PDB file of all heavy atoms in Angstrom:
ATOM      1  N   LEU A 371       3.244 -43.700  11.034  1.00  0.00           N
ATOM      2  CA  LEU A 371       3.121 -42.667  10.008  1.00  0.00           C
ATOM      3  C   LEU A 371       1.972 -41.720  10.333  1.00  0.00           C
ATOM      4  O   LEU A 371       2.097 -40.493  10.191  1.00  0.00           O
ATOM      5  CB  LEU A 371       2.896 -43.329   8.647  1.00  0.00           C
ATOM      6  CG  LEU A 371       2.739 -42.388   7.442  1.00  0.00           C
ATOM      7  CD1 LEU A 371       3.996 -41.544   7.271  1.00  0.00           C
ATOM      8  CD2 LEU A 371       2.452 -43.184   6.180  1.00  0.00           C
ATOM      9  N   ALA A 372       0.825 -42.286  10.774  1.00  0.00           N
ATOM     10  CA  ALA A 372      -0.319 -41.437  11.134  1.00  0.00           C
ATOM     11  C   ALA A 372       0.036 -40.519  12.300  1.00  0.00           C
ATOM     12  O   ALA A 372      -0.306 -39.331  12.294  1.00  0.00           O
ATOM     13  CB  ALA A 372      -1.518 -42.317  11.486  1.00  0.00           C
ATOM     14  N   ALA A 373       0.721 -41.077  13.316  1.00  0.00           N
ATOM     15  CA  ALA A 373       1.116 -40.246  14.462  1.00  0.00           C
ATOM     16  C   ALA A 373       2.093 -39.159  14.029  1.00  0.00           C
ATOM     17  O   ALA A 373       1.985 -37.996  14.458  1.00  0.00           O
ATOM     18  CB  ALA A 373       1.746 -41.129  15.534  1.00  0.00           C
ATOM     19  N   PHE A 374       3.043 -39.527  13.163  1.00  0.00           N
ATOM     20  CA  PHE A 374       4.028 -38.536  12.708  1.00  0.00           C
ATOM     21  C   PHE A 374       3.363 -37.424  11.915  1.00  0.00           C
ATOM     22  O   PHE A 374       3.618 -36.237  12.143  1.00  0.00           O
ATOM     23  CB  PHE A 374       5.089 -39.237  11.860  1.00  0.00           C
ATOM     24  CG  PHE A 374       6.052 -38.295  11.186  1.00  0.00           C
ATOM     25  CD1 PHE A 374       7.062 -37.687  11.905  1.00  0.00           C
ATOM     26  CD2 PHE A 374       5.926 -38.007   9.836  1.00  0.00           C
ATOM     27  CE1 PHE A 374       7.938 -36.813  11.294  1.00  0.00           C
ATOM     28  CE2 PHE A 374       6.805 -37.139   9.215  1.00  0.00           C
ATOM     29  CZ  PHE A 374       7.808 -36.530   9.947  1.00  0.00           C
ATOM     30  N   LEU A 375       2.490 -37.804  10.959  1.00  0.00           N
ATOM     31  CA  LEU A 375       1.817 -36.781  10.160  1.00  0.00           C
ATOM     32  C   LEU A 375       0.879 -35.939  11.010  1.00  0.00           C
ATOM     33  O   LEU A 375       0.734 -34.728  10.792  1.00  0.00           O
ATOM     34  CB  LEU A 375       1.043 -37.441   9.012  1.00  0.00           C
ATOM     35  CG  LEU A 375       1.898 -38.107   7.922  1.00  0.00           C
ATOM     36  CD1 LEU A 375       1.002 -38.747   6.866  1.00  0.00           C
ATOM     37  CD2 LEU A 375       2.836 -37.095   7.265  1.00  0.00           C
ATOM     38  N   GLY A 376       0.215 -36.571  11.997  1.00  0.00           N
ATOM     39  CA  GLY A 376      -0.655 -35.810  12.884  1.00  0.00           C
ATOM     40  C   GLY A 376       0.108 -34.783  13.700  1.00  0.00           C
ATOM     41  O   GLY A 376      -0.308 -33.621  13.815  1.00  0.00           O
ATOM     42  N   LEU A 377       1.237 -35.234  14.280  1.00  0.00           N
ATOM     43  CA  LEU A 377       2.050 -34.294  15.059  1.00  0.00           C
ATOM     44  C   LEU A 377       2.638 -33.211  14.160  1.00  0.00           C
ATOM     45  O   LEU A 377       2.737 -32.044  14.570  1.00  0.00           O
ATOM     46  CB  LEU A 377       3.167 -35.058  15.777  1.00  0.00           C
ATOM     47  CG  LEU A 377       2.715 -35.988  16.907  1.00  0.00           C
ATOM     48  CD1 LEU A 377       3.894 -36.778  17.444  1.00  0.00           C
ATOM     49  CD2 LEU A 377       2.058 -35.194  18.031  1.00  0.00           C
ATOM     50  N   THR A 378       3.024 -33.618  12.938  1.00  0.00           N
ATOM     51  CA  THR A 378       3.548 -32.621  12.003  1.00  0.00           C
ATOM     52  C   THR A 378       2.489 -31.581  11.659  1.00  0.00           C
ATOM     53  O   THR A 378       2.755 -30.374  11.633  1.00  0.00           O
ATOM     54  CB  THR A 378       4.041 -33.314  10.717  1.00  0.00           C
ATOM     55  OG1 THR A 378       5.072 -34.238  11.050  1.00  0.00           O
ATOM     56  CG2 THR A 378       4.578 -32.300   9.721  1.00  0.00           C
ATOM     57  N   GLY A 379       1.253 -32.059  11.386  1.00  0.00           N
ATOM     58  CA  GLY A 379       0.174 -31.131  11.083  1.00  0.00           C
ATOM     59  C   GLY A 379      -0.134 -30.206  12.244  1.00  0.00           C
ATOM     60  O   GLY A 379      -0.369 -29.004  12.055  1.00  0.00           O
ATOM     61  N   LEU A 380      -0.138 -30.765  13.486  1.00  0.00           N
ATOM     62  CA  LEU A 380      -0.404 -29.942  14.666  1.00  0.00           C
ATOM     63  C   LEU A 380       0.671 -28.872  14.834  1.00  0.00           C
ATOM     64  O   LEU A 380       0.371 -27.695  15.106  1.00  0.00           O
ATOM     65  CB  LEU A 380      -0.469 -30.844  15.904  1.00  0.00           C
ATOM     66  CG  LEU A 380      -0.748 -30.142  17.240  1.00  0.00           C
ATOM     67  CD1 LEU A 380      -2.112 -29.451  17.203  1.00  0.00           C
ATOM     68  CD2 LEU A 380      -0.680 -31.138  18.394  1.00  0.00           C
ATOM     69  N   ALA A 381       1.932 -29.279  14.662  1.00  0.00           N
ATOM     70  CA  ALA A 381       3.024 -28.319  14.803  1.00  0.00           C
ATOM     71  C   ALA A 381       2.940 -27.237  13.727  1.00  0.00           C
ATOM     72  O   ALA A 381       3.143 -26.041  14.002  1.00  0.00           O
ATOM     73  CB  ALA A 381       4.363 -29.041  14.721  1.00  0.00           C
ATOM     74  N   GLN A 382       2.607 -27.655  12.489  1.00  0.00           N
ATOM     75  CA  GLN A 382       2.499 -26.669  11.414  1.00  0.00           C
ATOM     76  C   GLN A 382       1.316 -25.728  11.644  1.00  0.00           C
ATOM     77  O   GLN A 382       1.400 -24.527  11.342  1.00  0.00           O
ATOM     78  CB  GLN A 382       2.348 -27.390  10.066  1.00  0.00           C
ATOM     79  CG  GLN A 382       3.615 -28.067   9.598  1.00  0.00           C
ATOM     80  CD  GLN A 382       3.430 -28.760   8.268  1.00  0.00           C
ATOM     81  OE1 GLN A 382       2.302 -29.042   7.847  1.00  0.00           O
ATOM     82  NE2 GLN A 382       4.536 -29.053   7.595  1.00  0.00           N
ATOM     83  N   ASN A 383       0.220 -26.259  12.196  1.00  0.00           N
ATOM     84  CA  ASN A 383      -0.939 -25.402  12.490  1.00  0.00           C
ATOM     85  C   ASN A 383      -0.588 -24.348  13.532  1.00  0.00           C
ATOM     86  O   ASN A 383      -0.957 -23.170  13.396  1.00  0.00           O
ATOM     87  CB  ASN A 383      -2.103 -26.252  12.988  1.00  0.00           C
ATOM     88  CG  ASN A 383      -2.955 -26.787  11.843  1.00  0.00           C
ATOM     89  OD1 ASN A 383      -3.090 -26.132  10.821  1.00  0.00           O
ATOM     90  ND2 ASN A 383      -3.504 -27.969  12.020  1.00  0.00           N
ATOM     91  N   LYS A 384       0.099 -24.782  14.575  1.00  0.00           N
ATOM     92  CA  LYS A 384       0.496 -23.826  15.609  1.00  0.00           C
ATOM     93  C   LYS A 384       1.456 -22.787  15.039  1.00  0.00           C
ATOM     94  O   LYS A 384       1.361 -21.588  15.349  1.00  0.00           O
ATOM     95  CB  LYS A 384       1.139 -24.567  16.785  1.00  0.00           C
ATOM     96  CG  LYS A 384       0.136 -25.372  17.613  1.00  0.00           C
ATOM     97  CD  LYS A 384       0.803 -25.974  18.830  1.00  0.00           C
ATOM     98  CE  LYS A 384      -0.218 -26.678  19.729  1.00  0.00           C
ATOM     99  NZ  LYS A 384      -1.213 -25.725  20.297  1.00  0.00           N
ATOM    100  N   ALA A 385       2.405 -23.245  14.217  1.00  0.00           N
ATOM    101  CA  ALA A 385       3.346 -22.311  13.619  1.00  0.00           C
ATOM    102  C   ALA A 385       2.628 -21.340  12.677  1.00  0.00           C
ATOM    103  O   ALA A 385       2.922 -20.133  12.661  1.00  0.00           O
ATOM    104  CB  ALA A 385       4.432 -23.078  12.869  1.00  0.00           C
ATOM    105  N   ASN A 386       1.669 -21.874  11.902  1.00  0.00           N
ATOM    106  CA  ASN A 386       0.934 -20.990  10.997  1.00  0.00           C
ATOM    107  C   ASN A 386       0.066 -19.997  11.760  1.00  0.00           C
ATOM    108  O   ASN A 386      -0.045 -18.820  11.380  1.00  0.00           O
ATOM    109  CB  ASN A 386       0.056 -21.840  10.070  1.00  0.00           C
ATOM    110  CG  ASN A 386      -0.798 -20.990   9.149  1.00  0.00           C
ATOM    111  OD1 ASN A 386      -0.294 -20.353   8.237  1.00  0.00           O
ATOM    112  ND2 ASN A 386      -2.111 -20.964   9.392  1.00  0.00           N
ATOM    113  N   TYR A 387      -0.546 -20.465  12.864  1.00  0.00           N
ATOM    114  CA  TYR A 387      -1.378 -19.563  13.681  1.00  0.00           C
ATOM    115  C   TYR A 387      -0.533 -18.416  14.221  1.00  0.00           C
ATOM    116  O   TYR A 387      -0.930 -17.234  14.142  1.00  0.00           O
ATOM    117  CB  TYR A 387      -2.014 -20.350  14.822  1.00  0.00           C
ATOM    118  CG  TYR A 387      -3.005 -19.559  15.650  1.00  0.00           C
ATOM    119  CD1 TYR A 387      -4.353 -19.524  15.301  1.00  0.00           C
ATOM    120  CD2 TYR A 387      -2.597 -18.850  16.776  1.00  0.00           C
ATOM    121  CE1 TYR A 387      -5.273 -18.798  16.052  1.00  0.00           C
ATOM    122  CE2 TYR A 387      -3.503 -18.109  17.529  1.00  0.00           C
ATOM    123  CZ  TYR A 387      -4.830 -18.098  17.158  1.00  0.00           C
ATOM    124  OH  TYR A 387      -5.729 -17.366  17.895  1.00  0.00           O
ATOM    125  N   ALA A 388       0.649 -18.774  14.744  1.00  0.00           N
ATOM    126  CA  ALA A 388       1.531 -17.722  15.260  1.00  0.00           C
ATOM    127  C   ALA A 388       2.001 -16.808  14.143  1.00  0.00           C
ATOM    128  O   ALA A 388       2.106 -15.576  14.327  1.00  0.00           O
ATOM    129  CB  ALA A 388       2.727 -18.362  15.977  1.00  0.00           C
ATOM    130  N   SER A 389       2.280 -17.401  12.961  1.00  0.00           N
ATOM    131  CA  SER A 389       2.727 -16.584  11.840  1.00  0.00           C
ATOM    132  C   SER A 389       1.632 -15.633  11.365  1.00  0.00           C
ATOM    133  O   SER A 389       1.885 -14.445  11.082  1.00  0.00           O
ATOM    134  CB  SER A 389       3.180 -17.507  10.696  1.00  0.00           C
ATOM    135  OG  SER A 389       3.528 -16.761   9.557  1.00  0.00           O
ATOM    136  N   GLU A 390       0.394 -16.121  11.273  1.00  0.00           N
ATOM    137  CA  GLU A 390      -0.720 -15.278  10.846  1.00  0.00           C
ATOM    138  C   GLU A 390      -0.988 -14.177  11.868  1.00  0.00           C
ATOM    139  O   GLU A 390      -1.286 -13.020  11.504  1.00  0.00           O
ATOM    140  CB  GLU A 390      -1.982 -16.132  10.650  1.00  0.00           C
ATOM    141  CG  GLU A 390      -1.935 -17.058   9.456  1.00  0.00           C
ATOM    142  CD  GLU A 390      -1.976 -16.304   8.141  1.00  0.00           C
ATOM    143  OE1 GLU A 390      -2.381 -15.122   8.135  1.00  0.00           O
ATOM    144  OE2 GLU A 390      -1.574 -16.875   7.123  1.00  0.00           O
ATOM    145  N   LEU A 391      -0.877 -14.531  13.141  1.00  0.00           N
ATOM    146  CA  LEU A 391      -1.094 -13.523  14.180  1.00  0.00           C
ATOM    147  C   LEU A 391      -0.025 -12.447  14.113  1.00  0.00           C
ATOM    148  O   LEU A 391      -0.312 -11.240  14.249  1.00  0.00           O
ATOM    149  CB  LEU A 391      -1.084 -14.212  15.557  1.00  0.00           C
ATOM    150  CG  LEU A 391      -1.701 -13.432  16.725  1.00  0.00           C
ATOM    151  CD1 LEU A 391      -3.175 -13.165  16.455  1.00  0.00           C
ATOM    152  CD2 LEU A 391      -1.516 -14.196  18.037  1.00  0.00           C
ATOM    153  N   SER A 392       1.235 -12.869  13.883  1.00  0.00           N
ATOM    154  CA  SER A 392       2.319 -11.895  13.761  1.00  0.00           C
ATOM    155  C   SER A 392       2.134 -11.027  12.521  1.00  0.00           C
ATOM    156  O   SER A 392       2.377  -9.801  12.550  1.00  0.00           O
ATOM    157  CB  SER A 392       3.662 -12.634  13.703  1.00  0.00           C
ATOM    158  OG  SER A 392       4.726 -11.743  13.481  1.00  0.00           O
ATOM    159  N   ALA A 393       1.675 -11.656  11.419  1.00  0.00           N
ATOM    160  CA  ALA A 393       1.438 -10.894  10.185  1.00  0.00           C
ATOM    161  C   ALA A 393       0.323  -9.873  10.385  1.00  0.00           C
ATOM    162  O   ALA A 393       0.407  -8.726   9.892  1.00  0.00           O
ATOM    163  CB  ALA A 393       1.101 -11.852   9.047  1.00  0.00           C
ATOM    164  N   MET A 394      -0.729 -10.269  11.113  1.00  0.00           N
ATOM    165  CA  MET A 394      -1.808  -9.320  11.384  1.00  0.00           C
ATOM    166  C   MET A 394      -1.324  -8.170  12.258  1.00  0.00           C
ATOM    167  O   MET A 394      -1.704  -7.004  12.059  1.00  0.00           O
ATOM    168  CB  MET A 394      -2.985 -10.048  12.051  1.00  0.00           C
ATOM    169  CG  MET A 394      -4.193  -9.157  12.290  1.00  0.00           C
ATOM    170  SD  MET A 394      -5.652 -10.057  12.856  1.00  0.00           S
ATOM    171  CE  MET A 394      -5.046 -10.792  14.351  1.00  0.00           C
ATOM    172  N   HIS A 395      -0.486  -8.488  13.240  1.00  0.00           N
ATOM    173  CA  HIS A 395       0.082  -7.423  14.092  1.00  0.00           C
ATOM    174  C   HIS A 395       0.863  -6.429  13.235  1.00  0.00           C
ATOM    175  O   HIS A 395       0.702  -5.194  13.375  1.00  0.00           O
ATOM    176  CB  HIS A 395       0.980  -8.054  15.157  1.00  0.00           C
ATOM    177  CG  HIS A 395       1.779  -7.070  15.937  1.00  0.00           C
ATOM    178  ND1 HIS A 395       2.998  -6.565  15.505  1.00  0.00           N
ATOM    179  CD2 HIS A 395       1.533  -6.460  17.142  1.00  0.00           C
ATOM    180  CE1 HIS A 395       3.467  -5.713  16.380  1.00  0.00           C
ATOM    181  NE2 HIS A 395       2.591  -5.634  17.410  1.00  0.00           N
ATOM    182  N   ASP A 396       1.700  -6.950  12.350  1.00  0.00           N
ATOM    183  CA  ASP A 396       2.491  -6.058  11.500  1.00  0.00           C
ATOM    184  C   ASP A 396       1.601  -5.247  10.568  1.00  0.00           C
ATOM    185  O   ASP A 396       1.852  -4.050  10.318  1.00  0.00           O
ATOM    186  CB  ASP A 396       3.502  -6.869  10.691  1.00  0.00           C
ATOM    187  CG  ASP A 396       4.549  -7.546  11.564  1.00  0.00           C
ATOM    188  OD1 ASP A 396       4.728  -7.109  12.722  1.00  0.00           O
ATOM    189  OD2 ASP A 396       5.176  -8.533  11.094  1.00  0.00           O
ATOM    190  N   ARG A 397       0.570  -5.892  10.054  1.00  0.00           N
ATOM    191  CA  ARG A 397      -0.321  -5.186   9.130  1.00  0.00           C
ATOM    192  C   ARG A 397      -1.066  -4.063   9.834  1.00  0.00           C
ATOM    193  O   ARG A 397      -1.152  -2.932   9.324  1.00  0.00           O
ATOM    194  CB  ARG A 397      -1.297  -6.201   8.517  1.00  0.00           C
ATOM    195  CG  ARG A 397      -2.178  -5.642   7.418  1.00  0.00           C
ATOM    196  CD  ARG A 397      -2.880  -6.751   6.657  1.00  0.00           C
ATOM    197  NE  ARG A 397      -3.670  -7.630   7.514  1.00  0.00           N
ATOM    198  CZ  ARG A 397      -3.340  -8.877   7.807  1.00  0.00           C
ATOM    199  NH1 ARG A 397      -2.213  -9.384   7.325  1.00  0.00           N
ATOM    200  NH2 ARG A 397      -4.107  -9.606   8.595  1.00  0.00           N
ATOM    201  N   LEU A 398      -1.622  -4.354  11.007  1.00  0.00           N
ATOM    202  CA  LEU A 398      -2.328  -3.314  11.771  1.00  0.00           C
ATOM    203  C   LEU A 398      -1.377  -2.214  12.219  1.00  0.00           C
ATOM    204  O   LEU A 398      -1.744  -1.022  12.269  1.00  0.00           O
ATOM    205  CB  LEU A 398      -3.033  -3.936  12.966  1.00  0.00           C
ATOM    206  CG  LEU A 398      -4.136  -4.951  12.652  1.00  0.00           C
ATOM    207  CD1 LEU A 398      -4.776  -5.471  13.936  1.00  0.00           C
ATOM    208  CD2 LEU A 398      -5.200  -4.366  11.736  1.00  0.00           C
ATOM    209  N   HIS A 399      -0.154  -2.591  12.544  1.00  0.00           N
ATOM    210  CA  HIS A 399       0.853  -1.599  12.922  1.00  0.00           C
ATOM    211  C   HIS A 399       1.146  -0.659  11.751  1.00  0.00           C
ATOM    212  O   HIS A 399       1.237   0.580  11.922  1.00  0.00           O
ATOM    213  CB  HIS A 399       2.125  -2.315  13.370  1.00  0.00           C
ATOM    214  CG  HIS A 399       3.251  -1.402  13.691  1.00  0.00           C
ATOM    215  ND1 HIS A 399       4.201  -1.014  12.760  1.00  0.00           N
ATOM    216  CD2 HIS A 399       3.597  -0.746  14.852  1.00  0.00           C
ATOM    217  CE1 HIS A 399       5.070  -0.195  13.317  1.00  0.00           C
ATOM    218  NE2 HIS A 399       4.720  -0.020  14.616  1.00  0.00           N
ATOM    219  N   ASN A 400       1.259  -1.230  10.541  1.00  0.00           N
ATOM    220  CA  ASN A 400       1.511  -0.395   9.364  1.00  0.00           C
ATOM    221  C   ASN A 400       0.332   0.532   9.080  1.00  0.00           C
ATOM    222  O   ASN A 400       0.519   1.696   8.675  1.00  0.00           O
ATOM    223  CB  ASN A 400       1.797  -1.271   8.149  1.00  0.00           C
ATOM    224  CG  ASN A 400       3.125  -2.012   8.278  1.00  0.00           C
ATOM    225  OD1 ASN A 400       4.038  -1.553   8.985  1.00  0.00           O
ATOM    226  ND2 ASN A 400       3.236  -3.149   7.601  1.00  0.00           N
ATOM    227  N   TYR A 401      -0.903   0.035   9.269  1.00  0.00           N
ATOM    228  CA  TYR A 401      -2.067   0.898   9.094  1.00  0.00           C
ATOM    229  C   TYR A 401      -2.029   2.061  10.079  1.00  0.00           C
ATOM    230  O   TYR A 401      -2.330   3.236   9.722  1.00  0.00           O
ATOM    231  CB  TYR A 401      -3.367   0.107   9.278  1.00  0.00           C
ATOM    232  CG  TYR A 401      -3.661  -0.875   8.162  1.00  0.00           C
ATOM    233  CD1 TYR A 401      -4.425  -2.024   8.395  1.00  0.00           C
ATOM    234  CD2 TYR A 401      -3.201  -0.660   6.875  1.00  0.00           C
ATOM    235  CE1 TYR A 401      -4.702  -2.930   7.389  1.00  0.00           C
ATOM    236  CE2 TYR A 401      -3.474  -1.557   5.857  1.00  0.00           C
ATOM    237  CZ  TYR A 401      -4.215  -2.695   6.120  1.00  0.00           C
ATOM    238  OH  TYR A 401      -4.489  -3.574   5.096  1.00  0.00           O
ATOM    239  N   ALA A 402      -1.655   1.752  11.300  1.00  0.00           N
ATOM    240  CA  ALA A 402      -1.597   2.818  12.314  1.00  0.00           C
ATOM    241  C   ALA A 402      -0.544   3.858  11.942  1.00  0.00           C
ATOM    242  O   ALA A 402      -0.773   5.086  12.084  1.00  0.00           O
ATOM    243  CB  ALA A 402      -1.303   2.215  13.679  1.00  0.00           C
ATOM    244  N   ILE A 403       0.609   3.402  11.464  1.00  0.00           N
ATOM    245  CA  ILE A 403       1.666   4.334  11.048  1.00  0.00           C
ATOM    246  C   ILE A 403       1.174   5.205   9.895  1.00  0.00           C
ATOM    247  O   ILE A 403       1.470   6.410   9.802  1.00  0.00           O
ATOM    248  CB  ILE A 403       2.933   3.555  10.662  1.00  0.00           C
ATOM    249  CG1 ILE A 403       3.524   2.844  11.885  1.00  0.00           C
ATOM    250  CG2 ILE A 403       3.968   4.482  10.038  1.00  0.00           C
ATOM    251  CD1 ILE A 403       3.959   3.775  12.992  1.00  0.00           C
ATOM    252  N   ALA A 404       0.432   4.568   8.956  1.00  0.00           N
ATOM    253  CA  ALA A 404      -0.089   5.332   7.825  1.00  0.00           C
ATOM    254  C   ALA A 404      -1.032   6.435   8.305  1.00  0.00           C
ATOM    255  O   ALA A 404      -1.006   7.577   7.787  1.00  0.00           O
ATOM    256  CB  ALA A 404      -0.801   4.401   6.854  1.00  0.00           C
ATOM    257  N   TYR A 405      -1.886   6.114   9.270  1.00  0.00           N
ATOM    258  CA  TYR A 405      -2.794   7.143   9.810  1.00  0.00           C
ATOM    259  C   TYR A 405      -1.998   8.217  10.555  1.00  0.00           C
ATOM    260  O   TYR A 405      -2.312   9.416  10.469  1.00  0.00           O
ATOM    261  CB  TYR A 405      -3.830   6.509  10.742  1.00  0.00           C
ATOM    262  CG  TYR A 405      -5.040   5.965  10.011  1.00  0.00           C
ATOM    263  CD1 TYR A 405      -5.255   4.605   9.879  1.00  0.00           C
ATOM    264  CD2 TYR A 405      -5.965   6.839   9.443  1.00  0.00           C
ATOM    265  CE1 TYR A 405      -6.362   4.122   9.213  1.00  0.00           C
ATOM    266  CE2 TYR A 405      -7.083   6.357   8.776  1.00  0.00           C
ATOM    267  CZ  TYR A 405      -7.267   5.001   8.654  1.00  0.00           C
ATOM    268  OH  TYR A 405      -8.362   4.524   7.964  1.00  0.00           O
ATOM    269  N   ILE A 406      -1.008   7.815  11.315  1.00  0.00           N
ATOM    270  CA  ILE A 406      -0.207   8.814  12.050  1.00  0.00           C
ATOM    271  C   ILE A 406       0.495   9.750  11.071  1.00  0.00           C
ATOM    272  O   ILE A 406       0.548  10.974  11.259  1.00  0.00           O
ATOM    273  CB  ILE A 406       0.815   8.097  12.958  1.00  0.00           C
ATOM    274  CG1 ILE A 406       0.094   7.330  14.070  1.00  0.00           C
ATOM    275  CG2 ILE A 406       1.804   9.086  13.549  1.00  0.00           C
ATOM    276  CD1 ILE A 406       0.990   6.429  14.883  1.00  0.00           C
ATOM    277  N   THR A 407       1.032   9.192  10.004  1.00  0.00           N
ATOM    278  CA  THR A 407       1.756  10.000   9.015  1.00  0.00           C
ATOM    279  C   THR A 407       0.824  11.005   8.338  1.00  0.00           C
ATOM    280  O   THR A 407       1.216  12.133   8.021  1.00  0.00           O
ATOM    281  CB  THR A 407       2.405   9.084   7.975  1.00  0.00           C
ATOM    282  OG1 THR A 407       3.258   8.141   8.631  1.00  0.00           O
ATOM    283  CG2 THR A 407       3.220   9.887   6.976  1.00  0.00           C
ATOM    284  N   GLY A 408      -0.412  10.596   8.065  1.00  0.00           N
ATOM    285  CA  GLY A 408      -1.349  11.478   7.355  1.00  0.00           C
ATOM    286  C   GLY A 408      -2.129  12.417   8.243  1.00  0.00           C
ATOM    287  O   GLY A 408      -2.982  13.172   7.746  1.00  0.00           O
ATOM    288  N   THR A 409      -1.894  12.409   9.537  1.00  0.00           N
ATOM    289  CA  THR A 409      -2.634  13.255  10.467  1.00  0.00           C
ATOM    290  C   THR A 409      -1.841  14.537  10.745  1.00  0.00           C
ATOM    291  O   THR A 409      -0.625  14.466  10.989  1.00  0.00           O
ATOM    292  CB  THR A 409      -2.916  12.506  11.778  1.00  0.00           C
ATOM    293  OG1 THR A 409      -3.692  11.334  11.478  1.00  0.00           O
ATOM    294  CG2 THR A 409      -3.696  13.399  12.734  1.00  0.00           C
ATOM    295  N   ASP A 410      -2.542  15.696  10.709  1.00  0.00           N
ATOM    296  CA  ASP A 410      -1.906  16.997  10.978  1.00  0.00           C
ATOM    297  C   ASP A 410      -2.610  17.705  12.133  1.00  0.00           C
ATOM    298  O   ASP A 410      -3.801  17.444  12.415  1.00  0.00           O
ATOM    299  CB  ASP A 410      -1.965  17.898   9.734  1.00  0.00           C
ATOM    300  CG  ASP A 410      -1.053  17.376   8.625  1.00  0.00           C
ATOM    301  OD1 ASP A 410       0.019  16.822   8.955  1.00  0.00           O
ATOM    302  OD2 ASP A 410      -1.439  17.502   7.439  1.00  0.00           O
TER     303      ASP A 410
END
């Protein structure tokens, strides 16, 4: 059970890290689009 929960936690951490990194990429991308749209 300890090994299973440990591996589960490790897998979830990696998945969350990738998810947070992807979310940050999308967020920064949206900020950049907002600046591009407002620039003349």
